[in-house]
């Protein structure tokens, strides 16, 4: 759907990614100045009048020349951005080492909301790969888009991780985590045995990687083991099948982190399913000290706020409010739908409410992490976030002090999170950027494509 509505929606500031928009702006210059079909030399009109057939060949050749010229100019931009990123990494390292240093890199001055880069990004190489696939330089009417840049950033991240992986003296990819809905399976659906993504997940496990699902969907203990089995059925059934080629330890490299960072499960060969791990086995020290009364205060405030929003938007008959141990959400009743604008309004309103709650009692509450997000058909406020979810996995896998584990520690530069929710507000994968390298996909088909790249570049 390309409508005025869609265009306006995409322009909302909380939906935009400042870094991607900035790169798009840089690419718009060569597009405007050089990608024009009318950028012909003076012979063309005369040639067209004299011999239209010759002019056709001329036109096609000329198109190639313009495309090559554009490619060269886009490439220069990506090389420059690549250098700016390397410089930013260097400045961040210097700042980390010396607390009195507080320099801001040039790139961070240009794009103030920029996060941390855990690896360099070979953007020029990634651009050439994506240009081949998406024919970006050959386009004359449509300038490099948000999705073009998103794809180039994704490919650059995969290249960086796999290049490093090949050069084992440095560092290598050890943990790959996935969001659930929209990333592994369609929203609200499950992994089927024949899902293309299942084959890739098995391959990742076979390559010795840890595979984690870090999802907002939150269910504790036995009910969790059953619920997550339902969502991951295709994969778990394969692990239990007689024709499964994976070793016991490869199978047990599959983990599920539920409710962002609240419930941990690990595949267990004896149980032939997911085993719930008690919090005492893995909870991060900073989370262990969270005060349960503060959590309850946040949850009940948000619960009341959702009731207020539900009344305000006349959603009493079409929605339900759910309060769980660590999350509160509003979901549509069967056969009903919440309007996209209403979802957006509610998630922004909950985020505002949260910042007020956390500010009023900042002395006591600021250590509890909370995340509010729009799940596409529902809105949730969860205690915890995916930054903690991913970090918990990195630390849990390396906490065995009695054994020297050759893959430890798992650094942020050795961990990749793939998800669909990376807008700066009202999205939950965004927080994973604090703990790992990330790839931003738009649907499960893109997840399969990015995994194919990853596996190809690694083997
Ligand atoms: P994710 O994309 O895997 O992070 O899952 C997000 C979806 O999980 C939400 O859109 C909800 O539909 C569903 N969900 C179920 N339980 C919860 C919960 O407790 N918190 C947040 N989302 C939940
Ligand atoms: Mg998702």
């Amino acid at each position: 759907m390309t409508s005025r509505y869609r265009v306006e929606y995409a322009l909302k500031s909380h939906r935009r990614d400042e870094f991607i928009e900035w790169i798009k702006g840089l690419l718009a210059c060569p597009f405007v100045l050089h990608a024009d079909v009318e950028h012909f030399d003076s012979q063309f009109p005369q040639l067209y009048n004299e011999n239209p057939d010759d002019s056709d060949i001329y036109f096609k050749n000329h198109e190639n020349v313009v495309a090559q010229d554009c490619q060269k100019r886009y490439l220069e931009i990506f090389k420059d951005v690549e250098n700016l990123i390397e410089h930013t990494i260097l400045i961040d390292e210097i700042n980390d080492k010396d607390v009195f240093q507080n320099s801001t890199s040039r790139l961070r001055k240009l794009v103030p909301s920029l996060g941390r880069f855990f690896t360099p990004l070979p953007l020029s190489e990634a651009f050439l790969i994506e240009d081949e696939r998406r024919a970006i330089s050959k386009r004359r009417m449509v300038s490099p888009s948000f999705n073009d840049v998103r794809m180039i950033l994704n490919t650059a991240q995969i290249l960086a991780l796999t290049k490093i992986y090949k050069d084992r003296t440095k560092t290598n990819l050890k943990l790959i985590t996935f969001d659930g809905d929209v990333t592994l399976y369609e929203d609200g659906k499950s992994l089927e045995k024949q899902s293309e993504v299942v084959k890739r997940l098995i391959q990742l496990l076979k390559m010795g990687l840890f595979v984690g699902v870090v999802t907002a969907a939150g269910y504790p203990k036995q009910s969790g083991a059953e619920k997550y089995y339902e969502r991951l059925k295709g994969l778990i059934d394969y692990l239990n099948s007689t024709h499964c080629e994976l070793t016991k330890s490869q199978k047990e490299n599959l983990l599920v982190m539920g409710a962002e960072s609240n419930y941990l499960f690990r595949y267990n060969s004896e149980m032939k399913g997911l085993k719930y791990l008690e919090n005492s086995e893995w909870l991060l020290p900073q989370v262990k000290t969270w005060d349960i009364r503060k959590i309850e205060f946040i949850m009940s405030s948000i619960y009341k706020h959702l009731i207020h929003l539900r009344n305000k938007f006349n959603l009493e008959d079409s929605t339900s409010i759910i309060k769980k141990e660590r999350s509160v959400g509003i979901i549509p009743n069967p056969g009903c739908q919440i309007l996209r604008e209403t979802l957006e309004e509610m998630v922004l309103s909950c985020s505002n409410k949260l910042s007020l709650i956390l500010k009023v009692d900042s002395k006591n509450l600021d250590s509890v992490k909370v995340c509010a997000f729009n799940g596409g058909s529902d809105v949730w406020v969860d205690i915890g976030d995916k930054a903690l979810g991913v970090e918990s996995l990195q630390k849990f896998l390396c906490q065995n002090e009695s054994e020297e584990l050759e893959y430890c520690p798992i650094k942020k530069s050795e961990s990749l999170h793939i998800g669909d929710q990376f807008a700066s507000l009202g999205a939950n994968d965004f927080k994973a950027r604090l703990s790992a390298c990330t790839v931003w996909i738009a649907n499960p088909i893109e997840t399969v494509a990015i995994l194919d790249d990853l596996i190809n570049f690694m083997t």
Side-chain angles (χ1 to χ4, degrees):
M1 178 180 64
T2 313
S3 60
R4 180 85 198 133
Y5 167 80
R6 181 96 187 190
V7 172
E8 280 172 13
Y9 183 76
L11 286 177
K12 285 182 187 169
S13 62
H14 63 276
R15 286 261 146 230
R16 289 172 62 179
D17 180 294
E18 226 187 303
F19 186 44
I20 296 186
E21 295 299 331
W22 179 75
I23 297 177
K24 241 179 85 181
L26 296 178
L27 299 171
C29 296
F31 177 80
V32 170
L33 298 175
H34 300 280
D36 194 341
V37 250
E38 284 155 23
H39 201 67
F40 279 102
D41 67 36
S42 51
Q43 294 175 41
F44 182 73
Q46 197 190 344
L47 198 68
Y48 184 80
N49 286 336
E50 284 165 12
N51 191 340
D53 283 346
D54 282 356
S55 78
D56 201 33
I57 297 166
Y58 179 83
F59 181 83
K60 281 179 187 148
N61 286 340
H62 193 79
E63 274 232 314
N64 275 338
V65 172
V66 176
Q68 278 165 13
D69 187 26
C70 270
Q71 188 185 62
K72 188 174 133 261
R73 288 165 198 272
Y74 292 152
L75 193 63
E76 278 167 8
I77 290 174
F78 280 109
K79 187 73 208 157
D80 287 340
V81 178
E82 189 177 315
N83 291 339
L84 285 171
I85 291 174
E86 274 193 41
H87 178 248
T88 301
I89 293 174
L90 191 73
I91 296 287
D92 287 347
E93 276 171 10
I94 294 171
N95 287 343
D96 285 347
K97 279 189 195 131
D98 180 353
V99 282
F100 296 110
Q101 275 282 346
N102 195 11
S103 319
T104 306
S105 75
R106 176 158 169 69
L107 185 59
R108 204 161 260 128
K109 281 181 193 145
L110 293 164
V111 187
S113 63
L114 202 68
R116 288 286 292 247
F117 295 100
F118 302 122
T119 65
L121 292 181
L123 286 172
S124 42
E125 198 179 337
F127 163 68
L128 290 178
I129 294 174
E130 289 304 321
D131 198 25
E132 186 70 30
R133 293 170 174 169
R134 304 172 71 83
I136 302 167
S137 325
K138 289 185 181 160
R139 296 204 305 252
R140 296 289 154 264
M141 314 289 170
V142 176
S143 63
S145 67
F146 178 91
N147 277 336
D148 293 328
V149 180
R150 179 174 62 82
M151 293 297 201
I152 293 164
L153 286 168
N154 286 348
T155 301
Q157 184 59 81
I158 294 296
L159 276 170
L161 288 168
T162 50
K163 281 195 156 177
I164 294 170
Y165 180 86
K166 279 182 180 155
D167 179 3
R168 284 184 167 268
T169 52
K170 278 191 191 162
T171 168
N172 61 56
L173 180 61
K174 295 168 182 169
L175 168 65
I176 172 158
T177 55
F178 296 86
D179 161 60
D181 290 75
V182 183
T183 302
L184 285 181
Y185 28 75
E186 297 294 344
D187 201 11
K189 301 277 180 341
S190 325
L191 272 188
E192 304 295 336
K193 206 164 164 191
Q194 66 279 11
S195 298
E196 286 298 312
V197 76
V198 170
K199 293 179 203 142
R200 276 74 177 178
L201 296 176
I202 292 163
Q203 193 145 2
L204 295 174
L205 288 168
K206 208 171 179 179
M207 290 160 85
L209 292 169
F210 289 104
V211 172
V213 179
V214 179
T215 171
Y219 312 98
K221 305 198 175 168
Q222 193 48 36
S223 75
E226 284 157 21
K227 286 271 186 191
Y228 297 119
Y229 166 68
E230 275 169 34
R231 305 307 296 278
L232 304 174
K233 193 173 181 312
L235 177 60
I236 293 180
D237 283 352
Y238 173 81
L239 298 185
N240 292 335
S241 66
T242 46
H243 56 272
C244 174
E245 290 171 1
L246 301 180
T247 64
K248 181 174 181 284
S249 81
Q250 284 170 342
K251 289 182 192 176
E252 295 190 348
N253 283 350
L254 173 69
L255 298 112
V256 177
M257 176 64 77
E260 319 280 355
S261 54
N262 284 298
Y263 310 120
L264 182 60
F265 299 80
R266 185 174 198 163
Y267 178 82
N268 180 287
S269 304
E270 281 76 42
M271 289 170 67
K272 291 196 171 292
L274 293 170
K275 182 179 177 206
Y276 175 74
L277 303 180
E278 292 297 334
N279 286 359
S280 56
E281 290 182 54
W282 60 273
L283 218 55
L284 292 169
Q286 66 266 38
V287 179
K288 276 187 183 149
T289 55
W290 285 357
D291 183 342
I292 190 79
R293 284 165 310 169
K294 289 170 194 167
I295 293 176
E296 275 162 12
F297 174 68
I298 298 171
M299 299 258 302
S300 62
S301 307
I302 294 295
Y303 182 71
K304 284 184 212 143
H305 190 61
L306 281 180
I307 293 180
H308 157 71
L309 291 173
R310 186 161 78 142
N311 294 341
K312 180 161 130 181
F313 294 112
N314 297 327
L315 299 173
E316 291 94 331
D317 297 334
S318 58
T319 62
S320 303
I321 295 179
I322 311 240
K323 190 165 181 237
K324 301 189 191 174
E325 189 189 30
R326 286 294 170 100
S327 57
V328 196
I330 180 161
I331 60 165
N333 289 339
C336 303
Q337 238 186 336
I338 309 177
L339 278 178
R340 179 151 54 168
E341 289 84 347
T342 313
L343 288 168
E344 202 79 337
E345 173 75 20
M346 290 198 294
V347 79
L348 293 177
S349 178
C350 286
S351 300
N352 278 346
K353 182 79 188 167
L354 279 174
S355 25
L356 282 177
I357 299 172
L358 300 176
K359 210 191 230 155
V360 167
D361 200 5
S362 62
K363 276 199 201 89
N364 301 320
L365 287 173
D366 59 358
S367 58
V368 177
K369 300 279 185 288
V370 191
C371 98
F373 76 99
N374 168 1
S377 57
D378 45 23
V379 168
W380 287 88
V381 175
D382 294 335
I383 301 293
D385 61 34
K386 291 197 183 184
L388 292 171
V390 172
E391 191 188 338
S392 301
L393 286 176
Q394 292 163 349
K395 301 272 161 65
F396 166 70
L397 293 166
C398 287
Q399 71 179 358
N400 195 341
E401 282 157 18
S402 58
E403 275 178 75
E404 187 79 357
L405 300 168
E406 100 291 334
Y407 53 80
C408 289
I410 301 178
K411 295 187 226 142
K412 296 177 183 191
S413 58
E414 298 169 326
S415 184
L416 172 68
H417 179 75
I418 303 185
D420 67 297
Q421 290 229 345
F422 283 100
S424 56
L425 250 181
N428 64 343
D429 291 303
F430 180 70
K431 279 292 169 83
R433 280 198 184 148
L434 296 170
S435 299
C437 305
T438 53
V439 155
W440 183 353
I441 53 79
N443 54 50
I445 298 170
E446 282 190 15
T447 305
V448 169
I450 207 82
L451 289 182
D452 281 344
D453 276 353
L454 182 84
I455 292 164
N456 282 340
F457 296 158
M458 261 166 126
T459 46

